[in-house]
Amino acid sequence: DRVGCAVADGRGGYTHLTGNQVGALLLEYILGRLAEREAIPPGGVMVKTIVTGDLGRKVAASYGVETVETLTGFKFIGEKIKEFEESGARRFIFGYEESYGYLAGTFARDKDAVGAAFLVAEMAAYYKERGRNLLQVLEDLSRRHGYFREDLASLELKDVAEADGFLRGFHEIPAAINGVRVAERRDYHRRKAWDLLGGREYDLTLPRSPVLYYKLEDGSWFCVRPSGTEPKVKIYFSVSASTGPAAQEKLARLKEAVLAIPGLNA
């Protein structure tokens, strides 16, 4: 149900693409080919999970396609497909998650590595015919939309029951991280969100889940989510910058600062 991708780097080795990068590349390929035929459907939608990176969102917006977010888990993307069909207001085009799950079309209703593997091969062949490889296409996307970098910290707990105490350490985080103000806080368990800069509170529409999400003023974000099956807490990080090295440095600083939050393990 998942598919990975590695690209020859021209120096005798391979560069392994992340799930976020493959998803953005597939979305660019699909929407680019539809746009060539003027066939992007009215009300077309790309669906991703809340912990999936934002390069895909930028790609979708460049083609006038809306992005809809769901909780982590591909079943939620499948539920959105059904919702779109029942309402008739939107058309599902593509869905993906950072953990290497992709779906084009509505037949499978779940992450589909069989179809995605064919689609990756088709995409690579299309660009190869035009003298380009996927690393070059990804570089083009980064120049247009920003260099996005993501990471995941998976922290072991002694027992699943410790997750609640761990999450409490995030309820009172600093007003700024690395000098960048925290702009938004979402508590998916309470189904509430706060615009911290505008002083506004609003309701979340996704199902209740023990997830905390924080967005910084520069667009960086991190999300804290207990594993549903193991004694672990996962912290997802995402940043963007004008160059790859700057994004990598920014990501390292964000990760270090978040993992050093006082009271994290209280």
Side-chain angles (χ1 to χ4, degrees):
D1 60 357
R2 302 168 197 262
V3 60
C5 179
V7 185
D9 60 14
R11 301 185 298 273
Y14 287 85
T15 296
H16 290 263
L17 299 179
T18 69
N20 285 307
Q21 291 170 335
V22 174
L25 284 166
L26 286 172
L27 186 62
E28 168 66 25
Y29 175 66
I30 292 168
L31 294 180
R33 307 298 69 76
L34 288 173
E36 287 173 352
R37 308 196 310 270
E38 298 184 352
I40 294 178
V45 172
M46 181 274 283
V47 185
K48 74 177 191 70
T49 66
I50 60 174
V51 299
T52 297
D54 288 322
L55 178 56
R57 180 195 297 276
K58 294 278 190 177
V59 170
S62 72
Y63 288 97
V65 170
E66 180 187 2
T67 294
V68 170
E69 288 191 329
T70 71
L71 293 175
T72 306
F74 224 94
K75 66 178 182 180
F76 295 111
I77 295 178
E79 288 175 359
K80 284 295 179 185
I81 295 174
K82 182 180 180 182
E83 177 186 312
F84 297 158
E85 289 179 343
E86 290 175 347
S87 70
R90 291 164 165 165
R91 291 278 301 279
F92 176 85
I93 297 175
F94 183 69
Y96 74 108
E97 59 185 1
E98 46 75 40
S99 54
Y100 301 91
Y102 316 99
L103 177 64
T106 61
F107 180 77
R109 307 294 170 110
D110 201 346
K111 51 184 175 285
D112 174 20
V114 177
F118 276 104
L119 194 57
V120 169
E122 178 186 305
M123 170 176 65
Y126 173 88
Y127 290 121
K128 184 177 180 180
E129 287 178 352
R130 288 153 181 81
R132 304 165 75 204
N133 64 30
L134 296 184
L135 295 179
Q136 293 168 322
V137 178
L138 181 61
E139 177 66 18
D140 288 346
L141 290 181
S142 298
R143 288 176 178 171
R144 278 155 45 195
H145 304 300
Y147 288 80
F148 285 81
R149 295 292 184 271
E150 296 85 19
D151 201 359
L152 168 65
S154 187
L155 307 181
E156 300 278 350
L157 304 176
K158 294 179 180 178
D159 189 88
V160 173
E162 293 182 345
D164 289 342
F166 189 96
L167 286 176
R168 280 196 294 273
F170 280 95
H171 279 289
E172 297 296 335
I173 69 167
I177 295 177
N178 289 332
V180 182
R181 290 189 296 176
V182 179
E184 181 184 6
R185 175 175 179 254
R186 305 177 198 166
D187 185 332
Y188 286 93
H189 180 70
R190 296 171 61 185
R191 301 183 77 191
K192 292 285 185 182
W194 295 266
D195 173 357
L196 301 176
L197 303 184
R200 183 174 66 93
E201 178 182 319
Y202 58 95
D203 293 329
L204 296 172
T205 59
L206 295 183
R208 193 181 303 276
S209 182
V211 177
L212 296 172
Y213 178 102
Y214 296 90
K215 178 171 282 189
L216 277 58
E217 194 173 17
D218 65 356
S220 304
W221 57 261
F222 64 94
C223 184
V224 188
R225 182 179 75 88
S227 169
T229 57
E230 303 173 283
K232 293 180 180 179
V233 170
K234 296 182 178 181
I235 309 177
Y236 301 80
F237 304 89
S238 177
V239 305
S240 66
S242 57
T243 68
Q248 201 62 47
E249 181 184 352
K250 192 174 181 180
L251 177 63
R253 286 191 284 108
L254 174 64
K255 186 175 179 181
E256 181 181 9
V258 169
L259 293 178
I261 289 175
L264 185 65
N265 298 302

